[in-house]
Amino acid sequence: VDLCLGNGIKCSGRFVQNNERCILVERSGNGKVDKSEWIEFITHACQGVYNGIKTNEDVLRSVLYYAHAIQMHRPHSIMGITFDVDHIIPRERFKANSTIPEHFENSLANLSLLPTKDNISKKAKCLNEITDEWLQEQIVHYSGISKDKFELYSDISNWTLLMEDRTSLFVQIFSTMRD
């Protein structure tokens, strides 16, 4: 199965540098990316820097879609649903906090797909500020974060726990579920 990055490149593997953005892709005809390469990429992308380059939404969007496809998640809504990349810890929380590395804001650990309509509803709220049951369920479904961790991950000082848990999730997806 190929993954399309949206720029015409079909991916199904190696590390690719494009416009100073480094991503790992699986290219048709080149075979699968080795598990150790995925784990290396995920570990660094979850920290927010890969090969010395800060990660960002544009680069990681395809990784999020690929992870979602590997998990065989289906949208809870009609076909044609659009997705946004959501910041689990909202961007605004990083502006006033110099104790968190700035590159974590756009790390794989802090990003998740969320249907556009739900992301608009979430706005810049932390997880514990969300009271709408449907939105909570959507976040659980798309991020893999259980409701019992919403409070924990809403405290920006727990960013390392979020990074560790999300790294473990992505390592499981790309090393075990991908086979």
Side-chain angles (χ1 to χ4, degrees), residues 72-140:
M72 296 174 55
H73 284 178
R74 302 287 186 260
H76 289 190
S77 188
I78 59 171
M79 294 303 289
I81 191 168
T82 59
F83 290 90
D84 287 343
V85 175
D86 175 53
H87 288 76
I88 296 166
I89 298 173
R91 292 178 185 153
E92 290 75 14
R93 307 296 166 126
F94 288 89
K95 291 179 180 28
N97 195 322
S98 60
T99 61
I100 315 282
E102 80 174 61
H103 53 266
F104 183 74
E105 176 183 339
N106 291 307
S107 69
L108 184 58
N110 194 42
L111 300 176
S112 178
L113 289 180
L114 197 58
T116 300
K117 180 181 170 193
D118 297 321
N119 196 36
I120 290 168
S121 294
K122 181 181 179 265
K123 298 179 183 174
K125 295 176 187 164
C126 287
L127 298 176
N128 66 348
E129 297 171 327
I130 298 165
T131 57
D132 180 87
E133 187 69 28
W134 169 259
L135 183 53
Q136 289 176 349
E137 289 301 322
Q138 292 291 82
I139 291 167
V140 168

Side-chain angles (χ1 to χ4, degrees), residues 32-173:
K32 290 175 80 172
V33 173
D34 182 89
K35 283 182 188 182
S36 63
E37 290 176 294
W38 272 112
I39 291 170
E40 177 188 352
F41 171 75
I42 288 163
T43 301
H44 292 280
C46 282
Q47 295 170 4
V49 177
Y50 182 70
N51 281 351
I53 300 167
K54 291 180 187 177
T55 58
N56 62 55
E57 293 174 52
D58 293 334
V59 169
L60 296 176
R61 180 181 318 274
S62 59
V63 176
L64 292 167
Y65 273 107
Y66 194 20
H68 203 66
I70 290 169
Q71 295 175 86
M72 296 174 55
H73 284 178
R74 302 287 186 260
H76 289 190
S77 188
I78 59 171
M79 294 303 289
I81 191 168
T82 59
F83 290 90
D84 287 343
V85 175
D86 175 53
H87 288 76
I88 296 166
I89 298 173
R91 292 178 185 153
E92 290 75 14
R93 307 296 166 126
F94 288 89
K95 291 179 180 28
N97 195 322
S98 60
T99 61
I100 315 282
E102 80 174 61
H103 53 266
F104 183 74
E105 176 183 339
N106 291 307
S107 69
L108 184 58
N110 194 42
L111 300 176
S112 178
L113 289 180
L114 197 58
T116 300
K117 180 181 170 193
D118 297 321
N119 196 36
I120 290 168
S121 294
K122 181 181 179 265
K123 298 179 183 174
K125 295 176 187 164
C126 287
L127 298 176
N128 66 348
E129 297 171 327
I130 298 165
T131 57
D132 180 87
E133 187 69 28
W134 169 259
L135 183 53
Q136 289 176 349
E137 289 301 322
Q138 292 291 82
I139 291 167
V140 168
H141 177 76
Y142 288 101
S143 71
I145 297 172
S146 61
K147 282 187 195 178
D148 65 332
K149 295 210 174 175
F150 278 20
E151 190 70 38
L152 179 69
Y153 296 149
S154 293
D155 180 350
I156 196 167
S157 67
N158 292 323
W159 69 274
T160 56
L161 297 174
L162 175 64
M163 182 179 64
E164 291 167 7
D165 287 350
R166 298 277 292 165
T167 301
S168 295
L169 172 68
F170 284 109
V171 165
Q172 177 187 11
I173 291 168

